[in-house]
Amino acid sequence: MADIIFSSWQEELVDNRKATEQDRKKPGNVKLPPEFRPGEQIRAFMGWDGIILCDDDVDIVDMCAGYAEAVQKESCGKCFPCRVGTRVVSDWLKKIASGEGREELPARIGELALRIREGSKCSIGQTGMNPILHALKYFPQAFADAIAQKKKAREGWYRFAVTAPCVSVCPSSLDIPGYVEEISEQRFAESLATIRQSICMAGTLGRVCIRPCESNCRRANIDEAISIKSLKRFAADYETDKNRHPEIERVKKAGGKVAVIGAGPAGLSCAYYLALKGHRPTIFEKLPEPGGMAAVGIPDFRLPRPVLRREVDIVREAGVDIRYGVEVGKEIAIADLRRDFDAVFIGVGAHSSMPMGVEGEDRGYRGFIPGVRYLLDISQGKDPYPEGKKVVVVGGGNVAIDCVRSSFRIGKEDVNLVYRRTIAEMPADPAEIHDAEEEKVKFHYLCNPTKIIAPEGKVVAVECIRMELGEPDQSGRRRPVPVPGSEFIIETDILIPAIGQKVDLSFLAEKDGVKLTKWNTIDSDGETFATSQEGIFASGDCVTGPDVLVRATGTGKRAAEKIDLFLSGGKVEASVDENFKALFSTMKVYNKNEQLNIIGGLKRAQPPMLEPEDRKWTFEEVEQGFKINEAAGEAARCLRCYRIGMVALG
Amino acid sequence: MITLTIDGKKMTTQSGKTILAAAREGGVAIPTLCYHESLLPIGSCRLCVVEVDGYSEPMTACTTPAVDGISVKTQSERLFRMRREILKLILVSHPLDCPRCDKGGECRVQNLVYEHGIERSEFEAFREDRKAPYATPLIRYWELRCVLCGRCYRACREVSGRAAIDIAGNGFEARIEATNGNDCISCGECLSLCPTGALTDNMGPVKSRIWQSERVDTTCPHCGFGCRLTQNVCEGRFISKVLSETGLPPNYASLCVRGRFGYDFIDHPSRLTRPTMMANGDKKALEWEDAVKVAADNLQRLSAAGKGLGFIVSPRVTNEEMFLICRIAGLFKGSRVASSAFYHTGKAAAAFRKMEIGFPGGYDRLSGCELIIIAGADLLINNHLLANKVRETVKTKSARVIVIDPLPASLTRIADAHLQPAPGQDASLFNALSRRLLEDGRYGKEAEKLKGFSEFKSALLSDAAASSAAPGGVEEATLEKAYKLIRDAENIALVFGSGISDREESMAALLNFCLLKGLPEKGAIIPTALQANARGAVSIIDDIASPDEVLLDAGISGIFIYEEDPFHFLSGELVKGALAKKAFVAVCDILPTEVMDLAHLTLPSTVFAEKEGTVISGDGSTRTVARAYAGMPGGPEFLRELLNRLGGKPYSNSDELRDDLNKSLLAKYGGAGNAAPAPAGKGRFLVKPSSAAPTAPATDAPTRPYRLILRDIFASHHLAGREVYAKGVSQVQKDALFISPEDAAALNLTDGDGLYLESADGNATRPVTVKAGIKQGVLECLLFRKRREMLALSMKPAKVIEVSVRKA
């Protein structure tokens, strides 16, 4: 970490300007890396919560002028204090920085900055003046000298970026305050266009995203988080409801041919953004339908297939060719793709079931159906095991919950879930767990299967053992420990392991030379998504192991940008935006203890849902969307927490 | 209900209202600039900041909801200082233009700056005036005066449903730009809501200050919706602008391009000033007394000779004038009174009467409906404010919208389904929908109790055509979607226009459908009103005739035309031929019209701004027309004199006249405010309209491949006729012939190319414009000034004309 000369970041003041080596203090909440990008040293950082100085050579006055200019550039112009005020401040600072400052200016800047902070509509204005106020407070001599000596400031080299608490944790870097504001202004088509700049599956994510943004929503500090996910769904559904059609703008150029393996979220995303950049992607999908886990892993009552299909239609319209029923490794080899295409993207996901380590699970017993397989069959309209009446699902993730809820819908009445920890540790989406409880799934916590009982090759029961929670493991959750001698039997005729998925790498031959990680996933660079083979890129579950949809779409898009660089002969490296995202993740963009001191008192809009007793037997979509006035009203609660961070690099 | 304290005053309001709304209700004034009642809260000016006990940061009252138990302070040193600084920031680039700015004396910025004691602003920043053209030539944008409150681009979207202007640029560079100027309909919503002089009307250099002007509220003469507008009269001499600030129903604070900018015809130099008479091929000026004498003598002479008399009265004139004409006509045996109100409102009223359906009147019921259907009406040209109401219901209640129109009519932008039956095939569509409702049992149970239900049900269930999956040629999937919405809706509002009333069987099928779904009891049936007093005409004129009927009636020898020009909406040949056979033709109008060339006696009339009277708007309400200033004598005075001279009642004052008028309406319709179509029975199903086939449309197999739809047939002839009279509106309203992209491609046409059209009765050549959304085989003609050629394509008055086409 860089040596901090001064930091006022997040109310922690560390002033080492006059300190000796021994007396130097280190700020506890600052974790700045020394470099912003290879070769670019971070000399200072100015942001919404203060100033961090790492290098003496930085001209504070010039940096303030630069920051104020950045604020003016980002000001949307829709409120008076920020629009005009920051321009006045910026002009004054430029004057001082160019040696034309007058004595009273710093005080006037301070006064106006306070007015801007208290009067502005959003965080750009509210936080944009903070670092300048800090500079005036802690570096008054710098300004006084500049004015008295009519000194021209040393021009620095700065980069800045806008972030927001929600944006900073979104794996797809969606412009959330932007699209939410557009909904509040009744600009629904524009909202969807904003969303489509980052993801091509608005309707899907608007239904099933795990929404890290909502847990980082500043509105929660005064009342409740914005229903960001449901608003996204609203924007997508509005287009469908009103029979609109998006205008797809593509770059017109003779792009390269790219082979994309897998029409799941990663592959679809990668292909869509490649097509927009003027390339010609072809997706090879082994199943007869697109969507990957979104289609065959998420049941229709959570994500209706027509929604997904419509999104895929738009992807195809953008210029993507999809070939179904083609399995790479069988019908066609990676070597063929490398020969016929200019680049290859692997997005095969993780569809194989992780073994439980239970006696009998590899015997092929009838009634023993891996979770992913169970859901796949149901998605194709089949009852995986008609003669079975009672279901036991083992696991605590979304796949397990989907399995239990789907079981009712294919007519099984006695549905059970076995999980080795408690509900507090379950990784599944809490909303899904709640919906499953409403549908009267029977939950058995703190137990784990030990043996499958299947005389005559047919499952009749599973032996389980009681567990208790011990020390935490590396995920932070308390490790379950079996209680000796507490075995008991649960009778069942269907047993479904759903404890995790792994990647099926059988399509890769040794000679393909694609290196794997020690967890048996594809080894690809975290920033460039390049594998060990030139021209082959990979992202999504097949790289990370089973992860969330929004990260697959996010990395798919980023991979498309890297493939674009690769095809145009440029240097394949992280973009400045990506560098900023990494930088911001070292600072707490969302501060859940921040006191906003304004009234909340509004409740989060809840989308209506079907009644549990009716909905559990059908595949009809359980959750409905917002009405227009509900969506606009919910969107109006957003505080628009954009904030600007600026690094001084020279 | 929640309770809160504002400035020490306790007040209650509904949960969900903002602090500003609560304050306004409770009589506490908070300074605002960007806030406007017809828009969602904007929060851009920050002037309405208030302090709430227990919270250290000030909040804007317009965006902050009132919470039970809070104590709010609207004035304090801190708040005053904040507001002052904000106003100073506004003044940074706001030129002190007050002496020459339209808004001087009625400008919010002016008021607020004065109130906050600001003499000068110590801030400075240079702002460039890009002088970019605005979205419409009728409005001028003064970039430096603009404070970017945001009302204009919000209103463009929220109220008018367009997206012509937007904020462009960041920070201090931000300005309003016509980002999509083609989308502008010149409704002037932006102009009306602008709190400063940043948007001013561009109608002319002559303006007047608020203290020089009298503001007279009246009712707009351009269509029948009934908008209230304010005439800004300068020193009692002329109207310098029109304002829409009455806040009265049905339009509250909005107008359309005609209402707002369509007043300059009033002062056109070609206004008639004296009666004239044709004598030996020469026009001779007459004194008023002589004119009355000539008219009376001729009418009496013809009547005595056993000839019939015909009176064609404009559907735009006041009830009082219509009443006088009916009284005059009543003195002669065998006289007929006609009006172009017949073609839409008349036919609709007749259909309602036939099916014993009462028209409840009022537009407000629309707001309570979760599904709104608009059939055969493009609300962009006429009744634009009705479209605004639909948009408002969608915005606030998330209502669903179905548009039934062969053309991409207004509101398709927010429609959940747009059904495009072939022109004239609406009956098939409504019958098919009715049949499905009957089959699924999804109709109001009250419908079964109405007369004719069982015949209707059996006729429909046995009609093979009604079971078509694509009735009238609509798209199947869209029909499915529309049907589901209809089936599940409890309260439906059905707005219909001349596209439906044009054919009897379409009207019958539509009304049958309404009765099935429980309308108008549950929901609303709203006919559009094309002309300012069409309902008045239909209510006052007994046995109303159509103008063409009266012209072609060989038994009618004397014609008196009041403020109408049949050439404007009928085939020229028909009119010329008919008038040539009349012994006496008298025309009374304000500007020179074509029909005056064939008149024996011509008289000047007065414009709406010079009249006092009442009209009955489309919602059945009687509204006043108020005199802005006294003009020269004209039509109404003439009618009174003529009636007197002919031996009718001498009305010396308007109160007497109004009394008699009200008495006669009361006698006919049973209520002072009631009008045709009268609230009558609960309705009856009609199985056999006048055509032979039970429920099928009259003509089927088209003889020519294209169907030309004429629109805006009944626009006021005072906008443009011989000359362009309404210069303002004429800049943005044009004649147009639209064709679908597919047909254009097939005929090798691009925008501006000539298209030759041929019908059974004539031919015409016109340049085309390609318009997406039009069905193949359909042409759309917007009539403005160049009407002759297109009207000549059909001898009989028609909205849909079959034509063959080829590239010219």
Side-chain angles (χ1 to χ4, degrees):
Chain A
M1 201 194 77
D3 260 341
I4 306 294
I5 297 176
F6 172 90
S7 172
S8 60
W9 191 253
Q10 275 172 3
E11 280 142 45
E12 191 191 357
L13 183 60
V14 168
D15 192 342
N16 288 330
R17 279 178 290 175
K18 303 235 167 55
T20 56
E21 279 295 327
Q22 309 95 294
D23 294 334
R24 282 197 148 190
K25 292 203 182 56
K26 269 201 165 67
N29 59 1
V30 173
K31 297 180 200 63
L32 273 188
E35 275 195 339
F36 175 68
R37 266 163 91 77
E40 293 179 17
Q41 285 248 325
I42 298 184
R43 297 170 189 265
F45 179 81
M46 264 189 109
W48 58 92
D49 247 336
I51 305 175
I52 305 169
L53 213 55
C54 308
D55 190 329
D56 264 329
D57 202 20
V58 174
D59 188 318
I60 276 282
V61 173
D62 188 68
M63 196 161 72
C64 284
Y67 191 83
E69 201 180 335
V71 175
Q72 243 294 289
K73 275 210 182 84
E74 286 305 318
S75 166
C76 70
K78 288 180 182 168
C79 84
F80 300 171
C82 176
R83 172 171 64 92
V84 187
T86 60
R87 163 64 156 252
V88 175
V89 167
S90 170
D91 281 352
W92 280 339
L93 284 169
K94 280 203 192 114
K95 268 215 166 82
I96 301 179
S98 60
E100 295 165 26
R102 296 191 310 280
E103 205 187 307
E104 74 274 12
L105 274 187
R108 293 176 79 191
I109 294 173
E111 264 302 303
L112 185 52
L114 283 171
R115 297 290 87 70
I116 295 169
R117 186 167 75 180
E118 72 184 350
S120 293
K121 188 176 176 188
C122 82
S123 288
I124 292 270
Q126 288 159 11
T127 64
M129 295 288 105
N130 278 347
I132 293 170
L133 286 165
H134 285 214
L136 289 169
K137 178 172 178 182
Y138 297 112
F139 298 83
Q141 204 56 42
F143 290 90
D145 287 347
I147 293 168
Q149 297 159 22
K150 299 204 190 311
K151 194 163 65 171
K152 248 189 158 73
R154 184 179 76 76
E155 259 184 65
W157 173 33
Y158 311 108
R159 288 195 198 270
F160 73 89
V162 180
T163 186
C166 44
V167 178
S168 70
V169 293
C170 175
S172 290
S173 295
L174 213 40
D175 178 7
I176 297 163
Y179 88 72
V180 168
E181 184 180 34
E182 281 164 334
I183 292 177
S184 76
E185 289 186 358
Q186 311 259 317
R187 298 178 188 234
F188 306 128
E190 289 163 68
S191 174
L192 188 53
T194 301
I195 295 169
R196 284 202 173 113
Q197 283 172 1
S198 305
I199 55 167
C200 58
M201 297 170 78
T204 297
L205 283 166
R207 286 163 166 80
V208 303
C209 188
I210 46 116
R211 50 207 183 283
C213 50
E214 290 183 14
S215 331
N216 280 263
C217 176
R218 219 163 140 249
R219 184 83 201 190
N221 293 26
I222 59 173
D223 43 46
E224 296 183 328
I226 308 292
S227 286
I228 301 172
K229 177 189 85 154
S230 301
L231 286 174
K232 185 151 52 257
R233 176 206 170 138
F234 169 81
D237 286 359
Y238 185 84
E239 185 182 68
T240 317
D241 275 349
K242 304 294 182 186
N243 318 302
R244 303 284 180 83
H245 211 75
E247 277 181 44
I248 303 174
E249 270 186 49
R250 308 182 47 178
V251 169
K252 283 197 168 49
K253 74 172 185 216
K257 282 166 46 187
V258 182
V260 174
I261 310 177
L268 286 169
S269 249
C270 185
Y272 177 74
Y273 289 100
L274 280 171
L276 292 186
K277 288 185 191 297
H279 299 291
R280 290 163 290 153
T282 303
I283 303 182
F284 296 92
E285 166 58 51
K286 81 172 181 207
L287 289 176
E289 63 177 296
M293 278 302 259
V296 302
I298 302 182
D300 275 10
F301 60 86
R302 283 214 292 140
L303 174 60
R305 231 80 64 84
V307 171
L308 185 53
R309 297 275 168 85
R310 186 174 182 275
E311 290 170 345
V312 176
D313 282 343
I314 293 171
V315 168
R316 283 196 3 255
E317 255 184 67
V320 174
D321 185 22
I322 309 183
R323 304 206 197 146
Y324 297 106
V326 178
E327 191 172 343
V328 173
K330 284 216 179 73
E331 279 92 14
I332 191 168
I334 289 251
D336 300 327
L337 295 179
R338 293 188 82 183
R339 180 195 63 220
D340 297 337
F341 290 85
D342 304 312
V344 178
F345 174 79
I346 305 177
V348 298
H351 291 254
S352 301
S353 199
M354 197 84 101
M356 289 191 291
V358 162
E359 194 190 316
E361 75 180 310
D362 46 3
R363 302 275 177 78
Y365 292 141
R366 290 207 327 276
F368 180 78
I369 310 164
V372 188
R373 175 77 216 213
Y374 190 69
L375 292 174
L376 171 63
D377 280 352
I378 293 177
S379 81
Q380 304 300 300
K382 296 192 285 220
D383 182 337
Y385 193 61
E387 53 187 283
K389 299 283 171 257
K390 182 171 167 180
V391 176
V392 168
V393 175
V394 182
N398 284 322
V399 173
I401 300 289
D402 283 337
C403 286
V404 287
R405 292 179 75 191
S406 299
S407 299
F408 291 124
R409 286 152 171 92
I410 54 170
K412 317 293 182 204
E413 294 184 8
D414 189 349
V415 178
N416 302 269
L417 184 138
V418 164
Y419 181 55
R420 60 189 183 148
R421 290 189 246 237
T422 74
I423 189 172
E425 289 87 30
M426 277 183 106
D429 188 330
E432 297 302 317
I433 302 173
H434 172 78
D435 293 345
E437 286 177 328
E438 278 191 337
E439 288 170 13
K440 307 263 188 351
V441 170
K442 287 181 251 179
F443 286 86
H444 307 263
Y445 293 107
L446 289 169
C447 53
N448 214 33
T450 48
K451 189 160 67 185
I452 306 176
I453 299 164
E456 299 149 33
K458 198 169 86 149
V459 173
V460 300
V462 58
E463 184 193 82
C464 298
I465 189 167
R466 300 248 174 246
M467 312 291 274
E468 61 186 12
L469 293 181
E471 290 304 305
D473 69 9
Q474 72 242 80
S475 73
R477 294 176 293 164
R478 292 176 67 186
R479 192 191 305 266
V481 172
V483 174
S486 67
E487 285 85 347
F488 66 103
I489 307 282
I490 302 182
E491 281 182 8
T492 183
D493 35 33
I494 305 179
L495 180 62
I496 300 173
I499 61 158
Q501 290 77 251
K502 57 189 172 97
V503 190
D504 178 2
L505 296 161
S506 59
F507 71 102
L508 283 174
E510 176 95 37
K511 60 178 171 69
D512 290 327
V514 176
K515 277 230 212 82
L516 305 176
T517 66
K518 66 180 186 223
W519 305 283
N520 266 338
T521 61
I522 298 183
D523 190 4
S524 83
D525 184 273
E527 285 187 342
T528 65
F529 306 101
T531 63
S532 55
Q533 289 297 310
E534 202 200 346
I536 303 188
F537 299 78
S539 89
D541 284 4
C542 66
V543 168
T544 58
D547 197 347
V548 292
L549 215 156
V550 66
R551 203 173 328 271
T553 53
T555 54
K557 172 172 187 249
R558 288 165 64 197
E561 286 158 11
K562 306 297 174 263
I563 297 174
D564 177 56
L565 285 169
F566 172 75
L567 292 173
S568 55
K571 182 149 182 265
V572 182
E573 57 181 359
S575 64
V576 174
D577 280 342
E578 287 168 325
N579 294 131
F580 265 113
K581 193 155 176 119
L583 176 66
F584 290 142
S585 66
T586 67
M587 28 187 83
K588 236 185 347 182
V589 184
Y590 174 55
N591 180 1
K592 72 173 191 278
N593 297 319
E594 185 189 351
Q595 295 298 315
L596 270 63
N597 288 310
I598 55 174
I599 286 190
L602 289 175
K603 290 218 141 349
R604 194 174 137 100
Q606 296 290 5
M609 292 180 65
L610 296 180
E611 288 299 310
E613 277 314 306
D614 299 326
R615 72 190 193 218
K616 65 194 268 190
W617 307 113
T618 79
F619 280 92
E620 236 185 285
E621 192 177 2
V622 168
E623 203 179 79
Q624 273 111 62
F626 287 139
K627 295 215 190 103
I628 290 176
N629 50 323
E630 290 167 347
E634 175 65 6
R637 288 197 310 128
C638 174
L639 299 171
R640 201 172 189 269
C641 309
Y642 284 132
R643 44 210 54 210
I644 299 173
M646 187 174 89
V647 282
L649 302 163
Chain B
M1 296 298 281
I2 55 175
T3 313
L4 64 155
T5 314
I6 303 184
D7 287 345
K9 208 168 144 183
K10 243 192 168 66
M11 47 189 80
T12 51
T13 187
Q14 286 168 306
S15 161
K17 286 244 167 97
T18 59
I19 294 179
L20 181 65
R24 285 158 75 102
E25 275 170 29
V28 175
I30 304 180
T32 60
L33 180 57
C34 67
Y35 174 76
H36 196 274
E37 311 83 60
S38 50
L39 302 173
L40 295 172
I42 304 176
S44 66
C45 72
R46 321 304 293 166
L47 287 170
C48 65
V49 277
V50 294
E51 286 169 335
V52 179
D53 269 359
Y55 298 90
S56 62
E57 293 301 310
M59 296 158 245
T60 46
C62 65
T63 56
T64 309
V67 172
D68 196 37
I70 56 174
S71 175
V72 180
K73 231 181 4 188
T74 69
Q75 299 289 344
S76 79
E77 230 187 274
R78 181 183 186 188
L79 294 174
F80 188 81
R81 186 187 58 208
M82 280 181 77
R83 292 178 188 141
R84 229 165 156 249
E85 293 302 300
I86 291 166
L87 289 164
K88 284 190 188 168
L89 287 172
I90 293 178
L91 291 177
V92 167
S93 65
H94 191 88
L96 295 178
D97 258 5
C98 305
R100 68 175 189 132
C101 173
D102 280 21
K103 256 327 208 248
E106 40 183 341
C107 170
R108 287 192 81 80
V109 172
Q110 214 178 38
N111 296 349
L112 287 161
V113 167
Y114 194 68
E115 195 184 314
H116 286 78
I118 299 169
E119 286 179 26
R120 54 173 207 89
S121 168
E122 58 262 31
F123 305 125
E124 264 179 24
F126 174 68
R127 188 174 172 190
E128 194 192 329
D129 184 349
R130 265 157 279 254
K131 294 193 164 52
Y134 195 61
T136 167
L138 298 177
I139 300 174
R140 181 172 169 183
Y141 176 59
W142 304 73
E143 185 171 339
L144 297 185
R145 294 181 190 168
C146 177
V147 296
L148 283 151
C149 62
R151 280 186 182 183
C152 53
Y153 64 82
R154 295 243 185 171
C156 188
R157 286 162 176 76
E158 281 179 44
V159 177
S160 300
R162 314 299 289 189
I165 54 173
D166 207 352
I167 184 172
N170 273 20
F172 199 59
E173 304 289 306
R175 66 215 168 262
I176 302 299
E177 240 179 40
T179 45
N180 192 5
N182 290 332
D183 210 34
C184 180
I185 53 173
S186 303
C187 65
E189 202 63 35
C190 50
L191 169 69
S192 168
L193 262 56
C194 182
T196 70
L199 289 170
T200 60
D201 78 65
N202 226 7
M203 289 290 279
V206 183
K207 314 236 173 165
S208 59
R209 288 292 184 203
I210 182 175
W211 54 85
Q212 292 172 283
S213 319
E214 200 198 332
R215 295 197 163 165
V216 180
D217 289 350
T218 189
T219 306
C220 182
H222 287 290
C223 87
F225 188 71
C227 290
R228 299 288 290 165
L229 54 81
T230 309
Q231 299 161 115
N232 192 64
V233 190
C234 177
E235 291 166 355
R237 290 185 290 121
F238 62 93
I239 295 177
S240 56
K241 70 178 169 192
V242 162
L243 302 154
S244 58
E245 290 160 9
T246 62
L248 293 169
N251 61 315
Y252 300 95
S254 300
L255 286 174
C256 75
V257 58
R258 288 179 181 173
R260 196 180 299 282
F261 299 110
Y263 61 87
D264 52 351
F265 69 90
I266 294 173
D267 289 321
H268 199 274
S270 299
R271 282 282 301 273
L272 299 182
T273 49
R274 287 198 314 190
T276 57
M277 175 157 161
M278 289 299 277
N280 308 322
D282 263 333
K283 261 211 186 114
K284 197 176 82 150
L286 286 182
E287 291 303 321
W288 273 106
E289 278 172 27
D290 298 325
V292 175
K293 187 168 179 299
V294 165
D297 287 349
N298 273 289
L299 292 176
Q300 279 167 331
R301 168 178 67 85
L302 287 170
S303 182
K307 304 277 199 265
L309 298 174
F311 297 81
I312 300 180
V313 55
S314 161
R316 294 198 162 77
V317 300
T318 59
N319 290 332
E320 289 73 12
E321 289 159 287
M322 288 182 184
F323 181 72
L324 286 168
I325 291 178
C326 287
R327 281 289 147 104
I328 293 170
L331 295 172
F332 301 98
K333 209 173 79 147
S335 60
R336 302 284 322 269
V337 182
S339 172
S340 62
F342 175 89
Y343 296 113
H344 169 55
T345 305
K347 285 195 199 169
F352 273 78
R353 200 162 38 236
K354 199 161 176 186
M355 290 173 67
E356 292 170 27
I357 300 176
F359 180 70
Y363 305 121
D364 287 337
R365 292 176 67 132
L366 189 128
S367 315
C369 296
E370 71 258 30
L371 174 64
I372 304 171
I373 304 176
I374 297 107
D378 187 330
L379 300 178
L380 199 53
I381 302 289
N382 282 304
N383 293 243
H384 167 72
L385 272 295
L386 188 52
N388 281 6
K389 206 168 173 69
V390 175
R391 272 185 280 272
E392 198 193 339
T393 312
V394 171
K395 173 174 95 174
T396 52
K397 306 229 174 87
S398 211
R400 300 284 193 169
V401 174
I402 298 175
V403 174
I404 299 177
D405 203 301
L407 302 170
S410 161
L411 292 173
T412 45
R413 281 186 190 195
I414 53 161
D416 293 84
H418 176 203
L419 293 164
Q420 292 183 272
Q425 298 284 305
D426 307 89
S428 308
L429 176 57
F430 280 106
N431 286 337
L433 290 168
S434 295
R435 181 187 163 120
R436 283 190 74 169
L437 289 168
L438 286 166
E439 281 170 348
D440 291 347
R442 297 296 289 264
Y443 52 87
K445 290 307 160 215
E446 289 66 36
E448 285 173 345
K449 303 187 198 140
L450 299 175
K451 286 178 268 188
F453 174 77
S454 30
E455 294 94 320
F456 174 66
K457 181 170 178 178
S458 53
L460 219 48
L461 290 177
S462 59
D463 181 3
S467 65
S468 157
V474 300
E475 212 199 35
E476 277 185 51
T478 318
L479 182 64
E480 256 321 294
K481 190 170 178 195
Y483 174 69
K484 286 205 175 82
L485 289 169
I486 292 170
R487 178 195 66 192
D488 296 338
E490 274 291 310
N491 297 290
I492 300 178
L494 203 147
V495 175
F496 71 90
S498 58
I500 300 284
S501 67
D502 189 45
R503 301 181 86 121
E504 255 188 85
E505 72 267 5
S506 302
M507 270 305 324
L510 180 147
L511 289 175
N512 280 334
F513 167 82
C514 288
L515 290 175
L516 258 193
K517 280 300 285 189
L519 279 67
E521 296 281 314
K522 289 197 311 177
I525 310 178
I526 303 177
T528 58
L530 297 178
Q531 304 106 335
N533 201 12
R535 259 190 101 168
V538 159
S539 307
I540 294 172
I541 303 172
D542 289 326
D543 198 23
I544 185 174
S546 71
D548 60 288
E549 202 189 319
V550 158
L551 285 170
L552 293 171
D553 188 341
I556 288 182
S557 203
I559 293 265
F560 178 59
I561 302 178
Y562 192 73
E563 288 197 27
E564 188 64 280
D565 183 3
F567 282 101
H568 202 68
F569 53 87
L570 292 174
S571 151
E573 252 189 76
L574 181 159
V575 179
K576 261 225 293 260
L579 287 178
K581 298 191 189 118
K582 306 295 180 209
F584 174 67
V585 179
V587 176
C588 177
D589 209 334
I590 63 168
L591 290 160
T593 56
E594 263 195 81
V595 74
M596 279 181 189
D597 291 345
L598 305 167
H600 300 101
L601 175 66
T602 304
L603 308 140
S605 188
T606 46
V607 291
F608 74 102
E610 297 159 346
K611 287 184 192 167
E612 287 276 339
T614 54
V615 293
I616 303 181
S617 313
D619 61 346
S621 289
T622 303
R623 296 200 162 91
T624 48
V625 172
R627 177 173 288 142
Y629 51 85
M632 304 208 297
E637 292 78 24
F638 171 77
L639 291 174
R640 246 183 287 195
E641 304 278 309
L642 181 60
L643 178 64
N644 192 7
R645 192 180 170 93
L646 290 169
K649 185 163 172 181
Y651 287 106
S652 49
N653 65 58
S654 29
D655 286 334
E656 249 191 280
L657 175 55
R658 202 155 298 155
D659 267 345
D660 275 3
L661 165 65
N662 286 336
K663 272 196 215 124
S664 103
L665 285 175
L666 194 72
K668 278 195 264 192
Y669 303 109
N674 287 346
K682 289 211 180 284
R684 68 178 308 153
F685 287 90
L686 190 66
V687 176
K688 267 189 198 324
S690 57
S691 59
T695 47
T699 58
D700 268 327
T703 53
R704 286 166 190 267
Y706 281 81
R707 284 189 152 122
L708 169 72
I709 302 178
L710 297 180
R711 288 188 46 217
D712 213 15
I713 301 175
F714 303 106
S716 168
H717 59 284
H718 296 151
L719 294 175
R722 305 210 101 124
E723 302 167 56
V724 170
Y725 299 125
K727 287 211 167 58
V729 167
S730 308
Q731 286 185 67
V732 295
Q733 212 130 60
K734 309 269 179 221
D735 297 89
L737 180 60
F738 295 110
I739 189 168
S740 74
E742 298 82 16
D743 288 334
L747 292 161
N748 196 16
L749 293 163
T750 50
D751 282 353
D753 285 346
L755 183 71
Y756 172 79
L757 303 96
E758 193 180 85
S759 71
D761 292 336
N763 63 67
T765 304
R766 273 296 193 76
V768 290
T769 309
V770 181
K771 185 171 170 181
I774 298 189
K775 264 185 100 147
Q776 279 183 269
V778 174
L779 297 164
E780 176 189 2
C781 178
L782 256 183
L783 295 171
F784 186 58
R785 196 174 165 206
K786 302 197 192 101
R787 303 174 155 249
R788 256 315 191 77
E789 253 195 327
M790 302 310 275
L791 289 169
L793 289 173
S794 173
M795 273 298 265
K796 288 190 321 119
K799 188 172 163 76
V800 179
I801 306 174
E802 288 170 14
V803 292
S804 330
V805 305
R806 62 171 160 79
K807 185 169 179 171

